[in-house]
Amino acid sequence: MLIRSKQLLLDASVIITAHEIDVWNDLLREVDVAVTSIIAHDESLFFSKEAGLVPAPINITALIQQGAIPELSASMSEIERVRAVFDEELNMALHDGEVEAIAILYADQSDSLLFCTSDKVAIRVLAMLGLSDSGVSFEEVLKATGLSKPLPHEYCAEYFDRYIAEGQTARIQGKGAPYD
Amino acid sequence: MGEVQKILGSRIRSLRKKLGITQQALAEQAGLSAYQIVSEIERGRRDVKAWELVKIADALHTEVRYLIAGDEPAPARVLWRDYPEKGAAAIEASFLKSCRQYHGLESLLGITPKRDLPVVELNPETASYGDAMLAARDVANALDLGGRPAAALIAVLEGNYSVKIWYEDLAEAGSAASALGDFGYGILMHREQAPWRRNFSLAHELFHLITRTTISKESVGENQALAEKVERLANGFAANLLLPADVLEVEIEARVKHGKISYGDLVELARDFDVSTEALLWRLVNCRKLTADQARTVLNDPRFRSTDRSTMPANWRQPAPLPERYVRLAFLSYQREKLSRARFAQLLGTSLIDLSATLLEYGFELEDTDAYQIETTVA
């Protein structure tokens, strides 16, 4: 997988973990990182009531304003298209930011994007929509950029592959996104 | 701009007007920099960004998918005991959204109500206090509430009938509401009320749910006297439900010495049944254990008030911000991989970073469900 040649769409958990293990700034230097507009504008995702729990100041809005990372926005029709494919259960299952990321990938004809997520539900949905090759684990990203560090298991390739396989099975069985 | 934007704009305008808020107020609540943005969106002259749509949906107490697809759920039937003076439409919309999310979790887990709530057909024009009393006895039996109904009521309504019970600060004027919709039944309670008053409110709202087929906004109409009568019937039902005559009689007799009962015993009995001392005393009047004059005398006696107040702090339990059953269902949905972590945090109204701490407040520990497994004999 040519990770360095693609734009990397990061989910919120990956952004938090990249700060926690102190690779955030290196990551921005090594790869072309992007975030969805909903994640960029949802301050509550990175907020903590308790002082000290946020690993380092996470200010995505400032980075976007500085031009350090782009904000990708799905159009209404792109979100509508992906929502229409989901059954009722999947429509309830995902955060709007995750739906936006998947809608962007679903509409992407250029094959230039990779979604980096650690969420098993989101990983499975990627495969259910035939987007298995549009996702990547955080472990693989760090490996490709020479920034490897020990990670919780949900950020590892093995975990990612397991839920991709589950999603592919569900796709064959017509579960979750029956009209795809 | 296209037809899609125009349709979306008109949906947003319609929901905003239902809430009775201006474009300026919507812009402020959605964190948009100027009301002109809302104006342009409503006219279909602006391509709405996904993040703007999320903020607008939140401010309108709806979900993005409803705004996009236009499949807004069918209107629910909501009955207010006292309408809050400020922001009532927004409180109601938020309550209904919460009920739908709660129902969504039940659906994810395949949970359906074990039973439907009993129906009591009462004609509001002709029904008497005696009818409300009989209804309370029948409902207490049907719900199997036992000798201390207040202690069991919430668990029975939530667990057996999937009634969604939420708490909100309804300010001074509001007290409670009941709702019937595509999500089943919902009850909204005043968070700041004393626990024993909340119990009474819950029983009062239950009356509105069990009389749903015959007593409604439509059947009462603009008739203020009839509306007040219905509220008195609901109060009578609540008093009879929470203080069953036969159980109360036994408890009173055990405390009477030489034909008298102490203030301390009266207060203790009210706490035992988890009702207010006022509710207890008027129920004793109703059961002919006291006269109305005696009840008033006791209630106006500063020594009784002082005894009553002295027991309050120990018994004062504030409800958790979210219904515990709702949190449990969300937790189960997440554990069973039916919710993403970010969606789970969103449903609990917390951030990803604070998710573990929020769950701990409800007695749940956020562990990866894959990390710990045991062998079972089930194939």
Side-chain angles (χ1 to χ4, degrees):
Chain A
M1 190 181 287
L2 300 168
I3 292 170
R4 281 173 174 277
S5 67
K6 300 211 178 188
Q7 191 168 43
L8 213 56
L9 200 51
L10 302 183
D11 86 352
S13 291
V14 171
I15 294 172
I16 293 167
T17 301
H19 282 79
E20 277 172 347
I21 62 171
D22 200 21
V23 295
W24 177 247
N25 290 326
D26 293 332
L27 194 66
L28 293 187
R29 272 192 295 275
E30 294 294 330
V31 276
D32 183 9
V33 164
V35 291
T36 66
S37 76
I38 293 173
I39 286 182
H41 291 268
D42 189 351
E43 304 81 6
S44 70
L45 280 169
F46 308 110
F47 168 82
S48 178
K49 286 188 288 185
E50 275 184 64
L53 273 186
V54 180
I58 301 176
N59 197 338
I60 302 298
T61 315
L63 287 170
I64 289 166
Q65 283 166 354
Q66 291 159 17
I69 51 174
E71 163 191 326
L72 305 186
S73 185
S75 70
M76 277 271 304
S77 55
E78 285 166 354
I79 291 177
E80 191 177 5
R81 205 172 135 223
V82 81
R83 285 270 188 205
V85 170
F86 289 171
D87 66 6
E88 187 58 30
E89 210 170 279
L90 276 188
N91 266 307
M92 175 84 185
L94 296 171
H95 186 275
D96 288 315
E98 291 161 333
V99 174
E100 186 181 25
I102 291 165
I104 291 167
L105 294 171
Y106 201 54
D108 179 37
Q109 302 290 318
S110 64
D111 197 25
S112 60
L113 278 172
L114 274 180
F115 183 33
C116 182
T117 177
S118 64
D119 193 281
K120 60 183 88 169
V121 181
I123 299 168
R124 210 163 39 209
V125 171
L126 280 179
M128 286 160 89
L129 295 178
L131 298 168
S132 301
D133 295 335
S134 300
V136 65
S137 70
F138 192 36
E139 184 185 44
E140 284 178 277
V141 171
L142 293 185
K143 199 172 158 190
T145 50
L147 298 169
S148 287
K149 285 204 175 187
L151 288 165
H153 78 294
E154 66 266 31
Y155 295 89
C156 296
E158 189 187 338
Y159 183 91
F160 193 91
D161 293 344
R162 181 171 138 203
Y163 286 100
I164 282 286
E166 273 193 18
Q168 285 169 336
T169 306
R171 179 174 165 80
I172 292 164
Q173 293 169 340
K175 287 181 186 166
Y179 307 111
D180 181 36
Chain B
M1 283 290 132
E3 200 56 31
V4 176
Q5 280 77 11
K6 282 185 186 163
I7 293 168
L8 175 71
S10 93
R11 281 183 198 135
I12 291 171
R13 184 193 293 115
S14 161
L15 284 173
R16 176 179 63 76
K17 291 199 165 174
K18 266 191 206 168
L19 292 182
I21 58 171
T22 62
Q23 291 179 335
Q24 178 74 41
L26 176 57
E28 283 168 11
Q29 286 167 29
L32 303 174
S33 53
Y35 80 91
Q36 287 90 342
I37 297 175
V38 174
S39 173
E40 292 290 294
I41 290 171
E42 287 188 352
R43 290 175 191 198
R45 291 182 184 168
R46 191 174 191 277
D47 205 0
V48 192
K49 295 191 175 80
W51 71 267
E52 290 172 331
L53 200 57
V54 168
K55 304 248 175 189
I56 288 170
D58 280 347
L60 293 174
H61 305 288
T62 188
E63 303 244 6
V64 168
R65 60 189 168 127
Y66 297 140
L67 281 181
I68 291 179
D71 54 353
E72 186 73 16
R77 195 194 90 167
V78 183
L79 281 176
W80 280 91
R81 189 167 169 197
D82 294 302
Y83 213 54
E85 281 173 359
K86 285 182 186 170
I91 291 171
E92 186 173 307
S94 169
F95 165 49
L96 295 177
K97 181 183 176 185
S98 299
C99 287
R100 291 195 174 97
Q101 288 180 333
Y102 200 148
H103 179 60
L105 292 173
E106 289 173 336
S107 301
L108 280 183
L109 295 166
I111 295 172
T112 51
K114 293 188 179 85
R115 291 166 237 165
D116 193 15
L117 276 178
V119 172
V120 175
E121 293 190 346
L122 284 186
N123 181 339
E125 302 270 2
T126 58
S128 65
Y129 181 84
D131 294 325
M133 196 171 75
L134 286 174
R137 193 193 59 193
D138 293 347
V139 168
N141 287 335
L143 270 59
D144 198 13
L145 294 176
R148 297 293 182 278
L153 194 53
I154 289 180
V156 167
L157 290 178
E158 287 185 328
N160 292 346
Y161 301 91
S162 290
V163 179
K164 287 120 188 104
I165 301 168
W166 291 89
Y167 301 91
E168 187 65 56
D169 183 0
L170 299 175
E172 283 179 19
S175 57
S178 62
L180 180 58
D182 54 350
F183 48 80
Y185 307 103
I187 292 178
L188 180 63
M189 312 268 283
H190 193 341
R191 170 181 302 286
E192 302 303 324
Q193 273 184 335
W196 34 92
R197 289 208 181 278
R198 285 200 306 271
N199 289 335
F200 195 85
S201 292
L202 186 61
H204 178 109
E205 295 310 316
L206 177 59
F207 174 83
H208 291 300
L209 293 180
I210 58 153
T211 57
R212 59 194 176 277
T213 57
T214 48
I215 300 178
S216 63
K217 265 184 200 165
E218 293 71 32
S219 67
V220 174
E222 298 297 310
N223 187 337
Q224 190 57 32
L226 192 58
E228 285 169 11
K229 183 187 173 188
V230 167
E231 289 303 284
R232 284 196 301 275
L233 288 171
N235 286 340
F237 171 87
N240 279 274
L241 186 85
L242 297 177
L243 294 156
D246 51 346
V247 184
L248 187 58
E249 190 145 340
V250 171
E251 296 296 343
I252 284 287
E253 278 173 12
R255 288 164 175 79
V256 171
K257 284 176 191 153
H258 310 299
K260 292 181 179 177
I261 186 166
S262 73
Y263 281 2
D265 277 340
L266 284 172
V267 170
E268 180 270 323
L269 202 53
R271 297 293 166 263
D272 186 23
F273 280 91
D274 227 344
V275 298
S276 68
T277 46
E278 284 89 344
L280 175 73
L281 286 164
W282 289 114
R283 182 77 177 112
L284 290 175
V285 171
N286 177 248
C287 292
R288 300 181 198 283
K289 301 292 177 195
L290 290 178
T291 65
D293 281 346
Q294 283 178 312
R296 278 189 211 98
T297 303
V298 173
L299 288 169
N300 289 328
D301 188 337
R303 286 166 299 183
F304 180 75
R305 285 287 169 216
S306 168
T307 308
D308 190 9
R309 270 196 302 273
S310 69
T311 68
M312 286 182 182
N315 292 287
W316 196 292
R317 299 178 303 276
Q318 279 289 93
L322 297 168
E324 285 170 21
R325 179 172 178 264
Y326 171 84
V327 176
R328 191 166 69 248
L329 297 188
F331 183 73
L332 278 176
S333 301
Y334 175 71
Q335 270 199 324
R336 294 182 190 175
E337 304 176 1
K338 290 176 180 294
L339 290 178
S340 76
R341 198 180 178 101
R343 177 66 169 150
F344 181 33
Q346 187 183 38
L347 287 171
L348 298 191
T350 188
S351 71
L352 277 169
I353 294 167
D354 285 346
L355 183 57
S356 292
T358 301
L359 280 170
L360 274 179
E361 288 168 18
Y362 291 87
F364 295 103
E365 201 161 343
L366 191 61
E367 292 281 358
D368 193 304
T369 49
D370 300 324
Y372 306 103
Q373 295 179 355
I374 57 163
E375 300 265 342
T376 83
T377 53
V378 181

